[in-house]
Amino acid sequence: MSEIEFRDAIKQALDEELARDERVVFFGEDVAAAGGVFAVTGGLQEAHGPRRVFDTPISELAIAGAAFGAAVTGLRPVVEIMFGDFLHLPMDSLVNQSAKYWFISNEQASVPLVVRSAVGAGGRFGAIHSQMPVPWFQGVPGIKIVCPATPRDAKGLLKAAIRDDNPVLFLEHKRLYSMKGPAGEPGEVLPIGKAEVVRPGDDLTIATAMKSVHDALAAAEELQGDGVSAEVVDLKTLRPLDLATVRESVVRTNRLLVVEEGPHTGGWSGAVLGQLAEDALEHLDDVWRLTTADAPIPYSPPLEDAFLPTAERIVASVRERLGLAAPSNPVTSTV
Amino acid sequence: MSVAQAVEVVMPRLSDSMEEGTIVRWLKRSGQSVSRGEAIAEIETDKATMEFEAEADGVLEIVAQEGDTLPLGSPIARLLPPGSTPAAGGGGATAAPEPSGGPSAGDAGRAGAAANGASSGARATPVARRLARDLGIDLRAVTPSGRRGQIMKADVLAAAAARDRDGDRAAAPAPAAASESASAGARPGAAAVEPSGAKGEVTVIELSRLQRTVASRMSESRATVPDFTLEVDIDMGACVDLRERLKEHADPAPSLNDMVVKACALTLRDHPNVNAAYRDGRFERYGRVNVGVAVAGEDALIVPVVRDADRKSLGEIARSTRELARRVREGTIEPPDLAGGTFTVSNLGMFGITRFAAVINPPQAAILAVGAVEERPVVRDGRIAVGRLMTVSLSSDHRILYGADAARFLADLRARLEAPLTLLL
């Protein structure tokens, strides 16, 4: 199977959907002429023309407003908000217009809109360009939040997002752009809202998304040496959460660790634990979260590294929790 | 501390070997308020009648009636929040809460949790609780391994495995033990080598539950039973001759020990205080004569029981002792084979031991220790002759058997063995 880079997978998805459906348009800051600050979208304007792929002024609200207007008048816009840290700027358009329109228009018009955005820490971008905005949108009915971990999923899920008739927030982790992985089938469209067991195990379920999936897989490999068989669930979509897959796994392993790159308070990992407690309490032997501290992401490289839920921290957390190691001083103390 | 919601009170484990208990008397009525630490019932165990205290404040709702004998963990009552009214008829009408889901009876048995440094709160994880219910495991008997002292799923599974391996057999009242499965990877029987100084390497071996049972019951016997031992020499010449003759007619031929068992059984019928026990300030005399025969198992002592030995023929006794010994060797001995003994015979003659005193198997009144038959000079009619003598000793519980009683029993036993034809009747 051929390999593909994560950023190329996204470009391919955009390219294929632009070619497939003339209603699809793509715009954002520096996406066209410059090809995107993460070099994801180069060449798309040349391929599909400046009427369908174009740059915008630096106004996230204008971008989102234009996208909403385009969507309700028959186009299928894909926009890029360069950094997820600025998703609060178009929030009114996304939350109060795009996410609600289907419902308050008495189902007369849906909003087929995709917002792509680069998210996540570990890239030395500091406190204002490294955040994980999932919780900001977690409680907004009408929006889907897609969070791929692999090139194949990035492509297949972005194609699904573009074909979806409702607003989709498509989050791309910066640390994954240069990652290579197996390409999917040509033209493959993957289902939004479906998690996948990416490593089977018996003793523990680690549920997570995006970059943390790879950290969890590395941790599971390390834990194998301790005789701990960890199952890893790639959630892939964080709204709606595929809790049935998590539940099915936890019923077998009885232990659940949810790894969330994001603040401990108010995160989606709490929602996973909460729902599992409601649905499957009798199957739970232990449940916990590994998140980041309730603090801004540090700029200092050593501090940023220590801040994130890395494979090493996942391993240490599991060892401690399973009684294989003495409790360590937690890096993430909640304030 | 009052209970916040109805809490089940279950039959507590009041002694190591206790498997069931009897409600002798309720000291409080249904609907009465009770305080933590207040005695609410008298419960009789296999050892004693003990007062049982409330673990929390609340309103008592009685579930089990006086005289009921119930296994450990069975609901006997509920503690309701203050101000509640018990269901009419004494409970059972409302949904039972999770066992040990709150400050329930017998929390002393959960001392392991406290020893683990547990603070309040965590006791058993939800899946551990569900599994314990499904597998019939009493959570109070499970050693917790959780990081906050809570019982985890693995702890319940380990307890179930331990029970399945040997637990049922420990239920027998005899100091019974079965051969430890050598293949079992569980802790009991596992050896750990610790570096040591003057004594060299120290290999620490965890006891199986059966070995623990033997240890605790033997200690209890020595610590609580005021015993004395009487010895007598028995001329076994007639028995040896009889056995030679029976060899031509019986397969298997009864062993000398079978004859001792049979002779004991017949003699026991005439000595009701020997076929008896001292329990809780009373004598218990038993209507059946069930003679336990101590058998050395692998790493353990097992006492299979020949039931109604007084009514079995010598041939039947021979067959049943061989069958029981075979089951012991094969590890297939079942609890019914080990239960219900009223007297015990322990024979070390096959090792050349000439005389020894055995430890009483409580609550039995006595145990007979049998040595080897050996040729010794005896004086008969003023002449020295060669006799085939066997020394037996009877260790007795002086609370029920006095010196003369025990002596009379030994004299009658000796008479039967020296004139063994009555064994064939």
Side-chain angles (χ1 to χ4, degrees):
Chain A
M1 190 179 284
S2 63
E3 292 233 316
I4 184 172
E5 203 169 79
F6 194 91
R7 58 163 56 82
D8 292 336
I10 290 169
K11 177 156 60 179
Q12 281 186 11
L14 287 166
D15 187 42
E16 289 176 17
E17 294 305 302
L18 282 162
R20 173 180 174 274
D21 187 342
E22 64 180 8
R23 294 173 299 171
V24 175
V25 294
F26 173 51
F27 53 93
E29 299 163 11
D30 286 333
V31 298
V37 291
F38 292 102
V40 174
T41 53
L44 290 175
Q45 188 177 46
E46 289 78 356
H48 302 283
R51 285 173 56 82
R52 298 183 61 207
V53 178
F54 53 91
D55 291 316
T56 66
I58 301 180
S59 171
E60 284 79 5
L61 184 54
I63 294 170
F68 169 69
V72 295
T73 52
L75 297 183
R76 304 184 77 87
V78 180
V79 299
E80 177 179 307
I81 302 296
M82 193 184 291
F83 285 89
D85 306 73
F86 304 111
L87 275 167
H88 55 93
L89 291 167
M91 209 153 181
D92 182 60
S93 176
L94 296 176
V95 172
N96 287 328
Q97 296 174 34
S98 297
K100 304 288 192 296
Y101 199 69
W102 171 255
F103 304 99
I104 65 178
S105 70
N106 197 23
E107 303 183 2
Q108 294 181 71
S110 65
V111 182
L113 159 64
V114 176
V115 180
R116 287 183 48 242
S117 199
V119 299
R124 316 306 185 216
F125 285 91
I128 305 174
H129 290 76
S130 302
Q131 296 171 83
M132 192 61 79
V134 175
W136 303 350
F137 293 90
Q138 189 73 35
V140 180
I143 284 187
K144 298 185 174 79
I145 307 174
V146 176
C147 298
T150 65
R152 178 185 173 184
D153 285 349
K155 182 177 176 184
L157 288 170
L158 182 53
K159 287 168 73 78
I162 294 169
R163 296 182 192 191
D164 198 290
D165 285 335
N166 299 289
V168 177
L169 193 53
F170 190 89
L171 302 181
E172 301 160 13
H173 199 292
K174 300 178 195 74
R175 306 289 289 156
L176 295 177
Y177 277 134
S178 297
M179 200 198 116
K180 285 186 175 169
E185 299 296 320
E188 182 177 67
V189 179
L190 296 172
I192 292 173
K194 188 85 190 88
E196 182 185 355
V197 175
V198 292
R199 177 189 171 107
D202 302 322
D203 301 328
L204 163 77
T205 299
I206 305 176
T208 188
M210 295 189 276
K211 163 81 165 56
S212 297
V213 170
H214 305 283
D215 294 325
L217 286 168
E221 191 64 33
E222 172 83 12
L223 287 165
Q224 196 72 46
D226 293 350
V228 175
S229 165
E231 178 151 312
V232 178
V233 175
D234 180 356
L235 293 167
K236 301 189 184 187
T237 303
L238 294 180
R239 180 185 176 87
L241 283 163
D242 178 9
L243 290 171
T245 296
V246 180
R247 184 184 192 282
E248 189 278 327
S249 173
V250 172
V251 163
R252 281 184 289 105
T253 65
N254 307 118
R255 290 187 182 98
L256 174 64
L257 162 62
V258 186
V259 178
E260 174 178 4
E261 183 189 324
H264 196 73
T265 301
W268 53 266
S269 54
V272 175
L273 257 56
Q275 197 59 49
L276 262 290
E278 287 185 28
D279 296 345
L281 186 69
E282 70 278 19
H283 296 287
L284 301 182
D285 213 18
D286 201 2
V287 291
W288 76 103
R289 291 175 285 162
L290 188 64
T291 62
T292 61
D294 283 341
I297 294 150
Y299 182 63
S300 148
L303 287 182
E304 183 178 32
D305 290 344
F307 187 80
L308 295 172
T310 54
E312 292 72 27
R313 282 190 57 217
I314 295 171
V315 169
S317 167
V318 171
R319 282 181 179 153
E320 179 192 335
R321 204 76 188 191
L322 267 58
L324 304 172
S328 57
N329 290 325
V331 178
T332 52
S333 60
T334 51
V335 177
Chain B
M1 176 183 60
S2 304
V3 295
Q5 57 183 31
V7 164
E8 194 123 313
V9 177
V10 299
M11 180 61 72
R13 179 185 293 279
L14 296 172
S15 78
D16 274 356
S17 59
M18 176 178 175
E19 299 292 335
E20 59 182 25
T22 302
I23 313 274
V24 176
R25 188 152 44 115
W26 283 105
L27 303 173
K28 299 285 176 187
R29 294 186 315 278
S30 251
Q32 240 181 327
S33 290
V34 300
S35 308
R36 176 184 164 86
E38 202 172 357
I40 55 174
E42 283 181 8
I43 292 177
E44 181 185 25
T45 72
D46 54 339
K47 307 229 167 54
T49 299
M50 301 170 78
E51 286 194 343
F52 174 54
E53 298 171 353
E55 288 282 333
D57 300 347
V59 173
L60 184 67
E61 176 184 305
I62 290 174
V63 174
Q65 302 308 309
E66 290 183 358
D68 284 357
T69 298
L70 298 164
L72 289 188
S74 303
I76 60 172
R78 286 148 58 85
L79 275 183
L80 310 177
S84 308
T85 308
T94 50
E98 294 272 349
S100 73
S104 65
D107 274 1
R110 286 284 328 285
N116 269 7
S119 53
S120 61
R123 302 169 63 82
T125 66
V127 69
R129 196 159 291 175
R130 177 175 61 81
L131 273 175
R133 196 164 53 233
D134 293 349
L135 298 172
I137 293 292
D138 179 1
L139 279 174
R140 290 160 307 147
V142 177
T143 305
S145 70
R147 52 203 281 281
R148 287 190 288 265
Q150 72 271 43
I151 295 169
M152 308 291 290
K153 174 188 175 189
D155 304 330
V156 173
L157 292 178
R163 177 197 60 185
D164 293 345
R165 191 174 60 249
D166 58 19
D168 290 343
R169 293 168 196 164
S179 59
E180 185 66 32
S181 163
S183 63
R187 281 198 357 244
V193 177
E194 294 178 358
S196 181
K199 295 176 185 171
E201 273 189 350
V202 177
T203 304
V204 177
I205 298 159
E206 299 295 334
L207 297 192
S208 68
R209 185 166 162 193
L210 294 169
Q211 288 169 326
R212 284 202 300 275
T213 301
V214 171
S216 72
R217 291 177 67 84
M218 292 299 98
S219 302
E220 179 210 346
S221 176
R222 271 291 191 248
T224 64
V225 178
D227 64 329
F228 67 96
T229 303
L230 300 183
E231 253 181 37
V232 69
D233 292 338
I234 300 176
D235 186 341
M236 291 294 281
C239 279
V240 172
D241 293 342
L242 177 63
R243 179 163 189 268
E244 285 305 310
R245 279 192 277 162
L246 285 175
K247 273 183 181 171
E248 297 163 17
H249 303 288
D251 181 31
S255 68
L256 293 178
N257 199 60
D258 294 331
M259 295 182 186
V260 171
V261 168
K262 174 72 175 177
C264 282
L266 292 173
T267 310
L268 283 166
R269 278 207 303 226
D270 300 331
H271 295 264
N273 274 7
V274 187
N275 196 57
Y278 175 90
R279 280 180 95 146
D280 306 331
R282 297 172 188 163
F283 296 163
E284 283 183 0
R285 290 176 172 174
Y286 301 120
R288 293 172 68 178
V289 177
N290 301 331
V291 178
V293 182
V295 175
E298 194 167 326
D299 294 332
L301 172 67
I302 305 182
V303 186
V305 173
V306 181
R307 292 173 181 285
D308 299 314
D310 57 328
R311 291 206 287 267
K312 281 196 167 76
S313 72
L314 194 54
E316 284 174 307
I317 288 175
R319 282 190 290 279
S320 75
T321 54
R322 271 155 198 71
E323 172 64 16
L324 290 168
R326 184 184 66 76
R327 287 187 212 158
V328 168
R329 280 195 308 275
E330 295 176 359
T332 57
I333 194 104
E334 293 292 326
D337 298 327
L338 303 170
T342 59
F343 183 81
T344 300
V345 172
S346 179
N347 191 335
L348 292 178
M350 66 289 266
F351 298 110
I353 301 296
T354 52
R355 64 188 66 203
F356 68 105
V359 181
I360 292 174
N361 178 14
Q364 294 173 13
I367 184 168
L368 189 78
V370 182
V373 175
E374 58 177 4
E375 294 188 332
R376 293 184 212 158
V378 294
V379 178
R380 280 194 195 120
D381 305 326
R383 292 168 174 271
I384 294 177
V386 175
R388 286 170 288 191
L389 295 190
M390 176 180 82
T391 303
V392 301
S393 79
L394 186 74
S395 294
S396 305
D397 182 346
H398 210 314
R399 294 173 299 185
I400 179 166
L401 281 182
Y402 306 147
D405 302 326
R408 274 193 284 271
F409 174 82
L410 278 181
D412 286 359
L413 178 68
R414 176 187 180 188
R416 283 195 189 275
L417 286 169
E418 293 190 342
L421 282 184
T422 59
L423 303 184
L424 301 180
L425 294 177

